Amino acid sequence: MATLNDDYLKYPERSYGMDHDRYEWSMLQNRKAVEWPNEKKIALWVNVGLQFFPLNQKGIPFKVPGGMTKPYPDLRHYSLRDYGNRVGIYRFLKAFDNYDITPTFAMNTRLAERIPYLANTIIERGDEIMCHGFDMDKLHYGGQDPSEEKELIKMSLDRLRNLTGQDITGWISPAKNESENTPDILAENGINHFCDWVNDDMPYEFNTKNGMLTAMPLPTELDDYFIINNNLHSAEDWADQVDDAFEFLLQESKSSGGRVLGLNIHPWVLGQPHRIQYLERVLEKLGSHADVWSTSAVSIANTWKNQQN
Amino acid sequence: MKEDPGYYDYWPYENRPKIQWPNGAKVAFWVAPNIEFYELNPPDNPFRKPWPQPSPALPGYTCRDWGNRVGHVRQMELLEKYGIRGSISLSTALCDHHPEIIEMCKERNWEFFSHGIYNTRYTYGMTEAQEREMIKDSIETIYKHTNQKCAGYLAPALSHSENTLDLFAEVGTELFGDEAGIYSCDLFHDDQPTPIHLRSGKKFASIPYSLEMNDTIAYLVQKITPRRYGKELKDNFDRLYAEGAENGTIMCIPTHNYQVSNAHRIKAYEEALEYITGHSDVWVTTGKEIAQYFLDNYYDMAMVDIKSKNKKYGNA
C-alpha cells in the first residue's frame, strides 16, 4: 500500500469559522428574526425548473443529473424531459392559478430561445424568471477556464434579459454546480441572489470579489427530482415530506421568526398525470393557509435584505 | 493482509450469560450524533476521493455545512426534550472551527468521542506513526476543549487500518491510563457489547453502533422515506426490548445533523424518540457509560464464556 506524505496531517484551515472566506460562520439560531409582510410565518417559494437537456450532451466534467444516460441518441430521456415543457408545465400553471400560488421560474436561456411560445407564456404572467444557466449540459465547474465561464454567464444572461425584457437578478447553476469563480462572475453581471449553496434555511450574505450576493435557501432534499427520481419515493411520499417540513417550519417560526419553504419542482417529474394530484394537494393546503406568504424569490431576498443591519 | 481482522471470537447469540443493565433495564439506549467537518478543499488521498465533483463540490459540502449552521440546534433541543444526552462522534477540528457547538454540548454534559480530525482525511495509506499521531491529536483536542478523556473511537469516514483499534487503545492509555481509549464503534457484528483482542492486552469493548439505524445509511444508501425510517427505529427498538427481557441489549441511533434534522425528517425521528423513551425499562445513557459498565461488570464473564464455548466446539 502506498503511504501518505506527512503533509496529509497538516491542516492549514483549522481555525475559527469556515475553511474559506465566502461567508461568515453563524448559526441560524443566533441571527436576527425576520418578519414577513402581514405577519405571515412562512414565505413559500415555489421554484419551477424549466430545462433543456441537449441530446448531444458532452458531460463536462460530469453527466448532469437528469441528463442522457443511454448511447446517442437517447430519445427516451430527451423526449421525457420535453414532455414537461409541452404538457406538464401547463398542468403546473393551472394549479398555480387555481390555488393562488406565485411561482418563480428558473429557465435555461437555451430553452427560452428554443420555445418562444413557452417563454412568452411565462413572460406574460409577469412572474420572476431566474437564469438557470445556458442549458443542462453547460456546467460550471472547478478548474474551468475563467474566461470561458465569464463568456458563458454573460451570454446566458444577456440573451435571457433580451428575450424576456426582465432584469433577471436571480441565478441557479445547472445541477447547482459551480467553479471557484462562479459567484464573482455572477455578481459582476448584475445577479443579486443565487441558490447553489444549500447550507442554510434562510437567506444570508455571500462575499464575492465584486460585492455581496444573497444566497437563497432552496433545499435539494425536498426537490421532486431528488425525492422521486433519485430516492425512488412516490409522489405521495414527496407530498408527505413537504407536509412534514411545512408543519415543522411553522412551529419553529413561532419562536424564531419567519422561515422559508423552498420547493424546487420540475414539470417533467410532478407534471405527469399520475403525480400532479400530489402537487395540487400540497398547493391547495399551502395556498389557502393563513400563515403562508406565497411569493417570488426576489421578493423574499429583498424583504430579508431590508431587515438586515 | 489477513483473512479475519482477529478482533473478536465467534460468540453465539443464544445461551450467553445474562447482562443486566442498571435498574433492571432491558435495553441500554444511546444516541450518537456525528458532528462532522468536511473540508471544501481536502488534500488528495490515493485510495478514496473525498468528493465526486471537482472542488468546489457544493452538493456535499453545503448540505453538511447546513447541519452545523441549522441542523445541530434542532437535534440538540429534541434530544434534551426526551432526556437524552448525546454521545458525539466528533470531527475534532470542529472544536477549532465551531467552538459554539462544543460549548452547547458541554453545557448539557454530553460525551465527546473521537471521529478523527476531519471527515475528509482518511486512514488509508497512513503509516502506523501517522495514524498514531492523528489519533493522538484528536484525543488531545477533545481534552483541551472539553476536559473529557476520550473513551471511544469511530474512525473518520469509517476508514481503517489493521492497527486502528490497537492504536486508539494505546494512545488512550499513554495519555490518560485506563480511563481513555476503552471502546470502539467500528465493528457491526453484534447487538451486545463484546470484548476485543488487542495486542496490548488492554480491557477494551466493542459497543454496538448500528449502521442499519444510521440516518445517512437509511437516507443516502437505502433511500427510504423519513416516515419509514421512523418506523424502522421503532421496530428495531421493539425487538431489542423484547430480547432484552432475557439478556440486556443495546440500541444505538447514530445520526448526522445534516440528515435527521431536516424539516421534512425531524418529525418522524421525534416520534421514534418519544416512543423509545416512553418505555420504562430503558437505560437512556451514553456510549462511554455502557462501555464502562460492561468492562466493570461483564467483561470477565464474557471472556470466560467465549473461551469455554470455543473450546467445547473446537473453533479454530
Side-chain angles (χ1 to χ4, degrees):
Chain A
M1 193 180 243
T3 54
L4 301 172
N5 188 296
D6 277 344
D7 280 352
Y8 197 75
L9 273 74
K10 294 202 171 88
Y11 315 100
E13 304 295 333
R14 187 176 175 180
S15 58
Y16 185 80
M18 303 310 300
D19 57 342
H20 57 79
D21 57 8
R22 285 303 194 173
Y23 46 81
E24 297 297 317
W25 151 246
S26 81
M27 298 175 85
L28 178 58
Q29 65 152 17
N30 294 331
R31 287 180 234 150
K32 197 170 93 178
V34 172
E35 290 177 8
W36 301 133
N38 304 313
E39 298 177 3
K40 301 288 186 186
K41 298 292 183 196
I42 302 291
L44 173 65
W45 168 22
V46 174
N47 195 74
V48 180
L50 293 175
Q51 304 170 314
F52 174 61
F53 290 89
L55 185 65
N56 60 347
Q57 68 176 15
K58 296 186 178 66
I60 298 170
F62 56 85
K63 284 182 182 173
V64 71
M68 307 300 108
T69 61
K70 299 281 182 274
Y72 179 88
D74 184 356
L75 297 185
R76 163 182 163 178
H77 290 98
Y78 181 88
S79 57
L80 189 56
R81 306 298 170 261
D82 221 17
Y83 174 93
N85 297 324
R86 297 164 64 90
V87 181
I89 183 62
Y90 298 99
R91 294 200 178 106
F92 274 22
L93 298 180
K94 201 177 272 184
F96 298 150
D97 294 342
N98 283 346
Y99 301 117
D100 248 339
I101 300 295
T102 302
T104 298
F105 296 92
M107 208 164 185
N108 290 148
T109 296
R110 186 69 191 130
L111 183 78
E113 287 181 345
R114 283 174 45 88
I115 314 185
Y117 183 94
L118 178 57
N120 280 316
T121 301
I122 303 299
I123 293 162
E124 281 165 17
R125 292 176 59 88
D127 292 316
E128 181 191 355
I129 297 172
M130 302 177 74
C131 186
H132 192 10
F134 189 70
D135 67 34
M136 295 310 287
D137 190 38
K138 293 286 186 300
L139 294 175
H140 303 252
Y141 56 94
Q144 186 171 20
D145 177 347
S147 61
E148 173 193 295
E149 190 184 10
K150 273 188 184 182
E151 200 173 310
L152 178 62
I153 289 176
K154 189 171 183 312
M155 172 184 76
S156 304
L157 284 168
D158 284 354
R159 290 208 211 163
L160 193 63
R161 283 173 178 146
N162 217 353
L163 204 142
T164 61
Q166 287 197 13
D167 292 343
I168 312 281
T169 54
W171 176 276
I172 305 181
S173 300
K176 293 182 181 167
N177 209 69
E178 291 191 352
S179 80
E180 55 278 32
N181 303 310
T182 310
D184 304 317
I185 307 173
L186 293 176
E188 193 180 16
N189 282 278
I191 290 298
N192 294 325
H193 54 287
F194 77 137
C195 339
D196 297 336
W197 291 63
V198 292
N199 58 332
D200 218 304
D201 271 6
M202 291 296 287
Y204 67 91
E205 283 191 337
F206 194 99
N207 304 320
T208 83
K209 288 176 186 157
N210 304 304
M212 289 287 185
L213 289 173
T214 300
M216 292 287 290
L218 187 63
T220 300
E221 308 210 12
L222 263 186
D223 181 305
D224 60 348
Y225 171 79
F226 184 81
I227 288 181
I228 294 170
N229 296 54
N230 179 74
N231 291 351
L232 306 179
H233 302 170
S234 69
E236 186 173 12
D237 289 327
W238 173 80
D240 288 345
Q241 290 174 58
V242 173
D243 254 353
D244 289 350
F246 171 67
E247 296 296 345
F248 179 82
L249 292 172
L250 188 58
Q251 198 56 41
E252 191 172 75
S253 72
K254 286 174 183 158
S255 54
S256 311
R259 286 287 180 262
V260 178
L261 177 62
L263 299 181
N264 201 34
I265 58 176
H266 303 82
W268 55 272
V269 182
L270 279 174
Q272 294 284 340
H274 56 295
R275 295 194 183 119
I276 187 73
Q277 63 167 307
Y278 299 103
L279 176 63
E280 290 167 349
R281 184 188 108 186
V282 161
L283 298 184
E284 182 176 13
K285 174 175 173 176
L286 297 176
S288 59
H289 199 288
D291 291 317
V292 172
W293 175 40
S294 175
T295 190
S296 63
V298 66
S299 78
I300 294 172
N302 289 340
T303 305
W304 172 80
K305 216 171 179 175
N306 289 335
Q307 293 179 41
Q308 302 308 301
N309 309 317
Chain B
M1 289 191 282
K2 310 170 183 172
E3 133 184 302
D4 166 336
Y7 290 131
Y8 53 85
D9 298 311
Y10 184 75
W11 193 26
Y13 191 53
E14 58 179 13
N15 303 320
R16 289 183 184 176
K18 180 168 179 152
I19 290 178
Q20 179 95 49
W21 299 125
N23 302 313
K26 298 168 184 166
V27 176
F29 174 62
W30 66 301
V31 176
N34 286 267
I35 304 187
E36 297 169 333
F37 200 101
Y38 283 72
E39 299 159 282
L40 187 60
N41 291 303
D44 284 335
N45 181 301
F47 302 93
R48 181 164 165 183
K49 267 168 73 105
W51 299 117
Q53 302 88 359
S55 179
L58 299 191
Y61 180 85
T62 58
C63 83
R64 287 167 176 86
D65 185 27
W66 180 95
N68 293 329
R69 287 166 72 89
V70 181
H72 172 70
V73 169
R74 281 189 189 154
Q75 184 180 201
M76 188 181 65
E77 288 176 349
L78 195 62
L79 294 180
E80 205 166 17
K81 183 173 170 185
Y82 294 101
I84 301 163
R85 287 160 53 216
S87 307
I88 305 290
S89 165
L90 182 68
S91 290
T92 54
L94 199 118
C95 294
D96 303 302
H97 288 287
H98 301 331
E100 300 91 335
I101 290 180
I102 303 300
E103 287 305 314
M104 288 187 295
C105 299
K106 269 166 67 180
E107 283 163 18
R108 288 160 179 82
N109 192 25
W110 284 15
E111 183 199 339
F112 298 89
F113 65 87
S114 170
H115 191 25
I117 311 290
Y118 284 109
N119 223 35
T120 35
R121 303 282 178 134
Y122 309 122
T123 309
Y124 311 122
M126 283 189 185
T127 63
E128 186 171 335
Q130 287 173 330
E131 187 178 9
R132 177 185 289 275
E133 184 185 332
M134 184 266 288
I135 289 172
K136 185 162 182 272
D137 180 334
S138 74
I139 297 178
E140 284 174 338
T141 302
I142 287 177
Y143 185 70
K144 183 176 144 202
H145 289 264
T146 71
N147 237 15
Q148 289 189 21
K149 297 167 182 170
C150 176
Y153 193 64
L154 179 71
L158 300 183
S159 65
H160 305 104
S161 74
E162 288 182 350
N163 306 315
T164 298
L165 273 59
D166 290 307
L167 287 172
F168 173 62
E170 286 162 22
V171 174
T173 302
E174 178 187 315
L175 292 172
F176 303 112
D178 283 345
E179 277 184 73
I182 62 169
Y183 78 98
S184 162
C185 305
D186 284 302
L187 304 169
F188 308 98
H189 62 300
D190 218 292
D191 282 336
Q192 290 188 308
T194 58
I196 293 299
H197 301 301
L198 298 177
R199 63 189 181 189
S200 61
K202 183 178 175 177
K203 268 176 122 176
F204 188 89
S206 168
I207 298 300
Y209 163 100
S210 172
L211 264 198
E212 294 286 326
M213 293 299 103
N214 185 306
D215 60 346
T216 301
I217 303 299
Y219 288 127
L220 293 191
V221 180
Q222 296 169 351
K223 301 185 188 298
I224 63 175
T225 65
R227 293 182 187 187
R228 167 63 53 184
Y229 177 60
K231 180 158 192 316
E232 288 191 2
L233 292 177
K234 291 180 193 171
D235 289 345
N236 187 272
F237 172 78
D238 282 343
R239 179 51 58 117
L240 291 168
Y241 192 71
E243 291 177 356
E246 211 174 291
N247 196 338
T249 53
I250 296 177
M251 177 173 180
C252 178
I253 307 181
T255 63
H256 298 76
N257 55 21
Y258 66 90
Q259 288 290 340
V260 84
S261 302
N262 273 288
H264 60 293
R265 294 185 179 138
I266 197 161
K267 184 181 166 192
Y269 177 51
E270 169 159 17
E271 285 172 0
L273 294 181
E274 187 173 14
Y275 180 78
I276 292 165
T277 58
H279 286 68
S280 52
D281 296 331
V282 177
W283 179 30
V284 179
T285 185
T286 63
K288 178 180 183 173
E289 285 172 6
I290 296 171
Q292 197 62 61
Y293 192 82
F294 173 75
L295 292 174
D296 291 347
N297 298 287
Y298 295 107
Y299 176 91
D300 295 334
M301 180 188 88
M303 290 292 280
V304 169
D305 189 58
I306 293 166
K307 206 171 179 184
S308 77
K309 279 179 178 146
N310 282 291
K311 195 173 172 191
K312 183 174 172 189
Y313 296 104
N315 285 353

